[in-house]
Amino acid sequence: MATEQAMGGRDVRFAVIGAGMAGVLTAIKLQEAGITNFTVYEKADKLGGTWRENTYPGIGCDVPSHLYSYSFEPNPDWSHRFSPGAEIQTYFEDVAAKHDVTKTIRFGSAIVRCEFNDGRWELETADGHTDTADFVIAATGVLHHPKYPEIEGLDSFAGDIFHSARWDHDVSIEGKRFGVIGSGSTATQIVTGTVDAVAKLSMFQRTPQWIMPQENPVYSDEEKQAYRDDPEILPALYQQLADGMVANFANAVIDSESPQIKMVEEICRQNLESSVHDPALLEKLRPTYRAACKRLVISTNFYECIQRPNAELVSEEIERIEPEGIRTVDGRLHELDVLVLATGFKVDAFMRPMNIRGRDGVKLDDVWRDRPGAYLSITIPGFPNFFMLNGPNGPVGNFSLIEVAEMQLPYIMQLAELVRSGQCNEVSVSQSVADSFEEERVEAAKNSIWTTGCNSWYLDDRGIPASWPWTFDRFREEMAAPKLEAFELV
Ligand code: NAP
């Protein structure tokens, strides 16, 4: 991005919504481009998004740390191959401070209204602050609205109960009878993070998950020093990890018959069969669908932890929640002091419940009445100069979301540049292009591993994966430059 002075053009204003990974990235890149006329609106009092909100014991990222970093900010100090959540939160805070963008964030400012009127976006926060911007970049994340299960008696529980993304650190779990509902990535990490502390751990599994084993070594002081001494090592490691993820995973999940996905399945099967000793438990933990159909769980020690004497896998269906604990359909009452709901997120909300109206007062809620959609996960017909990072149907199950945002942002900036340079006032994708894209996407998604017979948050209400169904190379090519014929320039 060239500087504002170098490029001349209109002094346009940007409003960025959300100060998580993608919002901080946007602030850094806008500032680097010499654009200072912007505000990042953040509903909370701290940046960090998912890493601020998820603080449960055991939290970490199962994307390797040296890849789960901004490409332009390698971090020689990652403690582990897969680092804990608190370290990732600190990383984002440190990067924001280093690039001096924390000052651009207006904290405690949840946007409640965002309306396109007379060629500009009017925004309003919950506390009544208003702003007008030429461009809106919604960096509001994918997994940030907790999903609470509909289980009879949920409110009757007499102990402490909370969602995994709303961990109550005032509640001690030491020596308690502790329950977790769910068996996804979050619940498995919680099991590994709590089993040592609690008297009794009960994991309530509705559907077993395939677990991909991963060692998680610490980085030695010598390794960290070497990363600091030679600035070429970490970019090379980043590229190597990114290439490995594409070759072994990203390009494999889109083809359910690929040899790589069959290898993933074989590794998961062997992991289960070699790690779980009690045959009855092994069968309870064995999924009946193919590995990577649901989002793979990656863990070093989940199987070891669930086999501890104080841990129990409860696979009987939950009948109801009672004041003393959980009653399963076999009539057994599992008495609990603390119950955590690791039951996932409402993944079709995106920026909502914000009241967003595009051209002619059209409500986003109406456009997305059936399900959310977007061209290339970035832009919606009828919503000019409004862009999303990691919006609907993007590569959520394919590659690192940081890499995705880093590719999407320059694409968005090229569209914004059309307005900044005076070529037009409004940029919006045409309805017919967005419709054809979606048709092609739906067709391609049918070949992916995600449609091979499981229920998962990757599937929309039609059972179609809400994800990118093509190769990484195609994504990179699409992101290299917008096809201007796809857009209406007014
Ligand atoms: P999730 O994958 O959606 O899992 C929710 C779990 O709750 C499932 O096991 C689900 O069972 C269960 N559940 C939901 N409603 C239930 C009910 N009424 N009764 C019983 N069980 C119920 O959510 P998550 O584990 O929070 O993970 C969400 C995503 O966050 C992951 O897929 C991943 O993308 C991301 N994540 C990433 C990391 C990381 O290390 N990078 C860590 C954690 C999370 P069913 O399977 O039967 O539906």
Side-chain angles (χ1 to χ4, degrees), residues 29 66-67 69-74 91 235 238 402-403 406:
K29 293 295 169 186
H66 286 293
L67 177 59
S69 308
Y70 295 123
S71 61
F72 55 90
E73 275 303 343
Y91 169 80
Y238 177 97
I402 301 187
E403 212 181 356
E406 281 196 41

Side-chain angles (χ1 to χ4, degrees), residues 66-84:
H66 286 293
L67 177 59
Y68 197 79
S69 308
Y70 295 123
S71 61
F72 55 90
E73 275 303 343
N75 175 17
D77 293 319
W78 287 124
S79 65
H80 290 71
R81 183 180 293 164
F82 301 94
S83 298

Side-chain angles (χ1 to χ4, degrees), residues 4-20:
E4 206 163 358
Q5 287 81 358
M7 301 187 63
R10 264 177 66 188
D11 178 24
V12 294
R13 176 161 174 75
F14 287 79
V16 181
I17 310 179

